[in-house]
Amino acid sequence: MTKRKPLIAGNWKMYKNIPEAVGTAREMVKLLKEPPNAEVMIAPGCVLLNAVMREIEKSCISLGAQDLFWEKEGAYTGAISASMLVSAGCKYVIIGHSERRQYFAETDRNVNLKIRAAIDSGLVPILCVGETEIQRESEETFSILDKQIQMGLKDFSCDELDKLVVAYEPIWAIGTGKTATSRQAQDVHEYLRNALENTFGNSLAKNIRILYGGSVKPENIAELMAMPDVDGALVGGASLNADTFIRIVSF
Ligand code: PEP
């Protein structure tokens, strides 16, 4: 089986101001003496991107954004374009995070447009998918994920998706301290890889990185990463502290 290079991505959400973000990024660079086996990315809030970029640019940590708007430019007050993110030094952009879906009414159709904007600008999209606790209990997990994947990736060719990253984030595990067991994560990741194979073919499915997200911490990362279809993690709360995040990265 092809070994995919793991990705450990930190989502800082709406935390930190500029001095705090600079301090955390600087400490991460200092702590990350050896290049790890995984690619590492941090996604601070938009206002923090520039300052954080200056701290990490000579390190092996890449910059990511937490969202973008799909239009190239225009009268869209408050929105951030793909081109703005590229010019700030972003390589990755998180798209369709459950908090965006919940608090900003983001739909699968919006997610599809955002992935298009990211890919057309050369950004690597991290497409987040996941079910609520009620959906899991009523055995709807796979049908929810199918819908999120099929609609989010509608009208893309396999070639366009060659760098896409998918993050499986069960909503019941985000910020709750409840982590999916490594078995639960593996079952869903395997399902997602098969679903991607059915739609986009074997070559894309075997190369695509599928991250797990939901209360990842230094204590559970090794067990999750031991699963054959878990190719990294999207880390929220535990990415806010440099020492904790670097311990996850060095799993
Ligand atoms: C996230 O924000 O994507 C996330 C998984 O958060 P946490 O690690 O805090 O559960």
Side-chain angles (χ1 to χ4, degrees):
M1 196 218 261
T2 323
K3 200 51 213 157
R4 298 167 290 268
K5 174 123 182 164
L7 170 64
I8 308 287
N11 173 14
W12 286 5
K13 312 193 188 201
M14 199 178 72
Y15 290 103
K16 300 185 189 292
N17 56 28
I18 293 178
E20 289 163 351
V22 165
T24 307
R26 190 170 295 170
E27 205 184 333
M28 283 182 181
V29 172
K30 209 167 78 190
L31 290 171
L32 200 55
K33 291 180 202 91
E34 306 270 312
N37 293 328
E39 243 186 286
V40 184
M41 178 275 261
I42 48 177
C46 269
V47 174
L48 314 173
L49 288 172
N50 203 267
V52 169
M53 186 61 198
R54 274 189 252 124
E55 297 301 321
I56 64 175
E57 63 192 344
K58 292 198 179 69
S59 77
C60 57
I61 305 178
S62 301
L63 192 67
Q66 299 172 16
D67 183 40
L68 50 59
F69 186 54
W70 56 80
E71 293 291 349
K72 282 197 170 63
E73 61 179 3
Y76 303 106
T77 302
I80 307 287
S81 70
S83 153
M84 291 177 193
L85 298 180
V86 171
S87 69
C90 289
K91 176 174 178 191
Y92 291 94
V93 57
I94 299 168
I95 294 181
H97 191 282
S98 59
E99 288 153 13
R100 300 281 327 161
R101 295 179 193 255
Q102 182 181 353
Y103 301 117
F104 300 92
E106 205 157 289
T107 63
D108 289 318
R109 169 78 184 134
N110 298 157
V111 167
N112 180 259
L113 292 168
K114 289 181 176 197
I115 292 178
R116 167 59 65 204
I119 288 178
D120 287 353
S121 304
L123 289 163
V124 177
I126 301 180
L127 164 60
C128 300
V129 295
E131 81 287 1
T132 62
E133 192 153 33
I134 292 172
Q135 288 163 341
R136 174 164 278 265
E137 279 164 5
S138 51
E139 297 184 3
E140 285 176 80
T141 299
F142 293 147
S143 64
I144 293 293
L145 296 174
D146 277 336
K147 181 173 157 283
Q148 291 171 339
I149 289 283
Q150 291 308 327
M151 292 182 70
L153 301 180
K154 190 169 176 298
D155 295 333
F156 283 97
S157 69
C158 326
D159 290 349
E160 288 176 312
L161 297 179
D162 66 341
K163 293 203 175 59
L164 174 80
V165 176
V166 172
Y168 168 56
E169 300 210 299
I171 296 168
W172 47 271
I174 298 181
T176 57
K178 283 190 204 170
T179 319
T181 63
S182 50
R183 190 69 251 164
Q184 283 171 322
Q186 170 57 25
D187 286 349
V188 173
H189 284 222
E190 192 180 344
Y191 180 85
L192 286 170
R193 204 176 296 286
N194 287 336
L196 288 163
E197 178 170 7
N198 291 340
T199 311
F200 298 104
N202 175 265
S203 161
L204 182 115
K206 76 172 193 286
N207 289 315
I208 205 161
R209 290 179 292 182
I210 306 179
L211 315 184
Y212 168 77
S215 301
V216 171
K217 34 190 187 270
E219 295 73 28
N220 58 24
I221 184 69
E223 194 184 333
L224 288 160
M225 289 304 296
M227 297 294 110
D229 288 295
V230 176
D231 306 313
L234 182 52
V235 187
S239 72
L240 295 168
N241 175 280
D243 179 64
T244 310
F245 187 57
I246 297 307
R247 281 198 287 139
I248 293 173
V249 162
S250 321
F251 61 90

